[in-house]
Amino acid sequence: MGRYALLVGCCYLGDRDELQGCYNDVDAMQGAVIKYQLCQMIKRAMAGDVVLFYFSGHGTHQDFWEGPYCKRLEAIVPSDFNLIYSADFRYMVNNMPQGADFVMIADSCNSGGLIDQSKEQVGPGFRPDVCYRTRSYNYGNIGGGRRAKRMPIESVLRHLRPLSHVDSSDIRTLLRDIYGNQASILFRRHVDPDARVDRGILISGCQSNETAVDDDGKHRRPYGLFTDELCSTLRNLRRPMMSNAELVETIRDNLRNKDQHPCLYCSDRHADAPFLWVR
């Protein structure tokens, strides 16, 4: 079995939604999963491999209305603003080689449910696919040297409009025009939602309706609160490794920001399996 990692941090330097700690989060994760021989850097996955994708940066969500019905989809915000939606991660999981597992760790707002159709194992029972018109969220500076890791769709549109040849406020139209076949699978083809044989594991920094926090560090480097607690937990682990469920429950109990609740989404088998299959 090979274990491979791709670690991504986006700080959006120079933007009014700039974050401070995401690059430091990647350094911390590299120390936690590579220095301690949990993972190597990523390669092409093969049967039996475990692939870890870690993201620290802004998250967002969007409501897609079709008549009276609404589907809410979470997304991460890359530095080029070509949003990667929960449907894209479901597509990745469904196309993993037989016997390979995809582990996603997301330190971003609205990160619960980022692998569409995944079963919630640790969390509040909140339904990420339901649209709540009255829900309010924190943006930007939330006080005490902390910033919310959430970028509103309006800010994404502000970045996309100058890049497009189309005068539109519809994000689907803009992303298709700018990125073509590199835009979300959501806008290009039907996505098979079948998750019966689910090889995806999502550890989210917060629930679908919550804010993840980027801290300025005060007396040390800026960092994400969830990533900091995750790395602290991993550093203090002794073999045998915790199960995925035990790891997330431990982080939930110890996280200093009590308004942020990490979650686990995966199959029953993966909930009881050791983190990254390390025994």
Side-chain angles (χ1 to χ4, degrees):
M1 173 190 291
R3 302 183 188 91
Y4 303 95
L6 174 63
L7 313 177
V8 178
C10 297
C11 284
Y12 319 92
L13 298 178
D15 191 81
R16 67 188 185 193
D17 294 306
E18 179 177 336
L19 296 172
Q20 301 295 318
C22 300
Y23 299 158
N24 297 332
D25 290 342
V26 167
D27 287 343
M29 281 297 296
Q30 183 175 12
V33 303
I34 296 177
K35 180 179 178 181
Y36 295 95
Q37 299 182 341
L38 301 184
C39 284
Q40 304 173 53
M41 296 312 292
I42 198 166
K43 64 162 191 150
R44 184 178 179 86
M46 300 176 64
D49 286 346
V50 178
V51 175
L52 168 65
F53 172 62
Y54 168 82
F55 176 79
S56 176
H58 278 306
T60 192
H61 71 116
Q62 191 173 5
D63 299 338
F64 292 95
W65 291 89
E66 296 182 3
Y69 303 102
C70 175
K71 172 73 172 178
R72 170 163 291 178
L73 292 177
E74 293 75 28
I76 62 172
V77 184
S79 57
D80 65 355
F81 303 96
N82 186 12
L83 300 183
I84 306 175
Y85 288 88
S86 53
D88 296 300
F89 291 113
R90 165 52 53 200
Y91 181 78
M92 294 179 199
V93 169
N94 287 1
N95 286 277
M96 289 288 289
Q98 185 67 33
D101 287 313
F102 179 84
V103 181
M104 180 176 180
I105 302 176
D107 191 350
S108 56
C109 291
N110 307 119
S111 50
L114 264 173
I115 300 179
D116 197 25
Q117 304 292 324
S118 290
K119 181 178 180 180
E120 182 183 89
Q121 297 286 352
V122 178
F126 178 82
R127 289 186 57 200
D129 59 332
V130 175
C131 301
Y132 293 87
R133 292 181 181 272
T134 59
R135 176 73 189 180
S136 60
Y137 292 91
N138 293 317
Y139 299 92
N141 194 330
I142 55 178
R146 296 178 173 183
R147 292 185 63 85
K149 300 176 84 168
R150 182 176 193 276
M151 183 176 289
I153 286 294
E154 292 75 16
S155 292
V156 178
L157 289 170
R158 172 172 54 85
H159 287 280
L160 294 178
R161 286 192 188 102
L163 303 176
S164 175
H165 300 93
V166 179
D167 183 14
S168 176
S169 294
D170 179 64
I171 196 164
R172 291 170 288 194
T173 300
L174 294 174
L175 288 174
R176 281 197 302 260
D177 178 63
I178 298 166
Y179 295 107
N181 288 336
Q182 299 302 313
S184 171
I185 193 75
L186 187 68
F187 309 142
R188 295 186 286 118
R189 67 176 76 171
H190 173 73
V191 179
D192 181 6
D194 188 2
R196 287 175 295 177
V197 184
D198 200 342
R199 296 183 296 276
I201 301 169
L202 169 65
I203 298 176
S204 65
C206 64
Q207 297 169 183
S208 296
N209 62 334
E210 288 183 336
T211 296
V213 172
D214 186 63
D215 195 288
D216 67 4
K218 292 184 179 178
H219 303 299
R220 62 189 183 104
R221 300 195 306 172
Y223 60 95
L225 294 185
F226 163 71
T227 297
D228 185 62
E229 189 58 49
L230 169 62
C231 291
S232 175
T233 302
L234 291 175
R235 283 194 298 268
N236 293 322
L237 279 182
R238 295 190 177 128
R239 302 294 196 271
M241 178 64 77
M242 284 182 176
S243 71
N244 290 302
E246 290 170 334
L247 177 64
V248 174
E249 287 166 350
T250 299
I251 298 169
R252 281 175 75 100
D253 290 341
N254 295 336
L255 194 65
R256 286 170 293 137
N257 178 21
K258 298 306 179 183
D259 295 324
Q260 180 178 342
H261 301 88
C263 299
L264 172 66
Y265 298 83
C266 61
S267 67
D268 294 342
R269 180 176 72 93
H270 284 116
D272 295 331
F275 177 63
L276 296 179
W277 294 102
V278 175
R279 299 186 184 276

